Amino acid sequence: MATRTARRERPAPQPEPAQAPNGALSELHIHGLGSIDDVTLEFGRGLTVVTGETGAGKTMVVTGLSLLFGGRADQGRVRAGVRAGVEGRLVLPPDSPVWARAADAGAEPDEDGSLILARTFSAEGRSRAHLGGRSVPVGVVAELAEEVLAVHGQTDQLRLTRPAEQRRALDRYAGAEHLALVQEHRAAHVIWRRLADDLDRRRGQARELAQAADVLRHGLEEIAAVAPEPGEDVDLDTLAKRLGDADALRSVADTARLALVGDVTGDLGGDGDLPQDATSALATAERALAGSDDPTLVLLAQDLADAVAVVSDVGVQLASYVADLDADPARLAEVLDRRAALTALVRKYADAGEGLAGVLAWSADAADRLSQLDVSDEALATLEAERDAARAELAALSARVTAGRQAAAEGFAAEVGEELAGLAMKNAQVSFRIDTDVDQPGPDGADEVVLLLSPHPGAPARPVHKGASGGELSRVMLAIEVVFAGADPVPVMVFDEVDAGVGGQAAGEIGRRLARLAREHQVVVVTHLAQVAAFADTHLVVDKSPDTALGVTATDIRAVRDEDRVRELARMLSGLADSDTGQAHARELLAVAAERGR
């Protein structure tokens, strides 16, 4: 059945808390997604809560955020014939790493300096992503999500269930110096693996590599025997042409020299009756003009003197050119043979159009490849020594990384346990199990780190992703985030019903901790508990009701404050928004939250 959004006037925005240092999501627009026809959510900074009746569509807010930042689209949530879309506006500080990645993708900031993200979907499953006005692959937006958004909820807890994520959490708690050591370990692991893989390859493929090396070695020897020089083929072409045309070139040069300077050497067979040369004619004219008293003629005489010098210089160069001409057939044959040898190399080792430069490039590349194919005993021994040295260095780094994790594990577990004590898990015990396999180091060390949880006395400590219920896992995750508050660069944190299964005083503690997180981050929480909602800086309510006149379902998300907010909290407490008792309790909750949230 078709759905639409009920349009309502938004109340004036509430005063916002201080700007989150790492940025915030100021606006989210959802169109045609699930039961939502068209709504725009204006998020405040600090803590934003989303409340509403069960089934009203609260989770679609989280779904919209996930899709906006590259999450996998479920075409079942898109109505037939409608192209759904999600658009968001990010407000980021100038030094945010998101800007650099966005610039690489060609994105540009909006007029107000914010970054706009958009994602559209069709019922057929196709989707497109846009970043800063530029169409980009969805993967680019997903990369940005790692710097912008962390989603936690009953169905979005994969981060904490992965041992690798638990290890990263412990490394982050251990501090910047430890993280730098882990990075150094990664680099050393790359070097060791490269050397080890190369050695294994050479040993395992010794026969094939030796044959390949013979082919390369033969080619290098053939090229070395000719010993070509860069540009030699061009020089030989020029020289061959000159040698082949030596007689004709000599005749041309001698005729020109005779016309310019005459037979001054007598080697042209002159008998004294040769026509006057250009130099003599110019000199005669220059002397005639130089003897005049007219200034103009004197200046022209100087020009003629310069011309005599130029003509004489050309004559000298022509004489030198003729002297260098070699009409020796033996020399020409030698040049042609050399050129043929180079041509043979070009045909064999260069691509079309590359010429001798291609031969030299092949030779350099072949020499490099040959060094990697060497399977001689000496080469393998050298490579084995390099591998062992790299392995020893890696082992030393692994030991330091393990020591850092062991030193941090107890303190981290203790702090998380303290937070859990106020989250209806007073007797829960958290610990880390660090299993080290020095023979199988990975990029991040030789350790497998597992977060263990014992929910109550007498219960065995089990991996948190196996022994914790959904609600317990959410609270463990929340406790970890609180421990890291202020250190995590992710500006936006989303919690989807992390308060499931909690009530009473523990619910208030969850609200207080979320409010504490919101001092350093923008926190969005979908909740059904009034004790949590009372701590909000911005309170959004999802309404969904049938419209009998149009035969559709109207969905709206509106911000509430003052008495409207009291009524919503009363509804959450008692199910009756107009209950005097419920409203009194709601006002008391707001007062307590205001006092405890300071």
Side-chain angles (χ1 to χ4, degrees), residues 536-552:
D537 299 301
T538 300
H539 190 155
L540 303 177
V541 178
V542 179
D543 292 323
K544 180 179 178 182
S545 60
D547 188 326
T548 56
L550 298 178
V552 297

Side-chain angles (χ1 to χ4, degrees), residues 19-24 90-100 113-115 147 489 491:
Q19 167 76 54
N22 295 316
L90 276 173
V91 180
L92 300 165
D95 59 350
S96 171
V98 173
W99 285 120
S114 62
L115 181 63
E147 303 288 345

Side-chain angles (χ1 to χ4, degrees), residues 253-286:
D254 281 340
T255 300
R257 182 170 63 121
L258 177 63
L260 292 177
V261 299
D263 188 12
V264 295
T265 62
D267 57 0
L268 298 179
D271 55 5
D273 294 328
L274 292 172
Q276 186 178 23
D277 58 85
T279 303
S280 299
L282 290 171
T284 300
E286 184 268 331

Side-chain angles (χ1 to χ4, degrees), residues 276 380 403 556 577:
Q276 186 178 23
L380 293 180
D556 187 32

Side-chain angles (χ1 to χ4, degrees), residues 181 185 391-401:
L181 182 62
H185 185 281
R391 181 66 178 87
E393 180 180 356
L394 184 67
L397 288 171
S398 296
R400 293 171 59 191
V401 169

Side-chain angles (χ1 to χ4, degrees), residues 474-536:
S474 294
R475 278 171 273 170
V476 171
M477 194 158 39
L478 175 60
I480 291 175
E481 294 296 348
V482 172
V483 169
F484 283 136
D488 196 332
V490 176
V492 184
M493 294 183 176
V494 180
F495 294 89
D496 186 9
E497 298 193 0
V498 295
D499 47 20
V502 180
Q505 181 179 359
E509 287 298 320
I510 289 179
R512 186 169 70 87
R513 280 160 172 77
L514 290 170
R516 187 195 307 173
L517 266 182
R519 295 173 186 171
E520 299 292 338
H521 307 267
Q522 182 185 46
V523 179
V524 179
V525 180
V526 176
T527 182
H528 65 281
L529 291 179
Q531 295 94 324
V532 173
F535 283 87

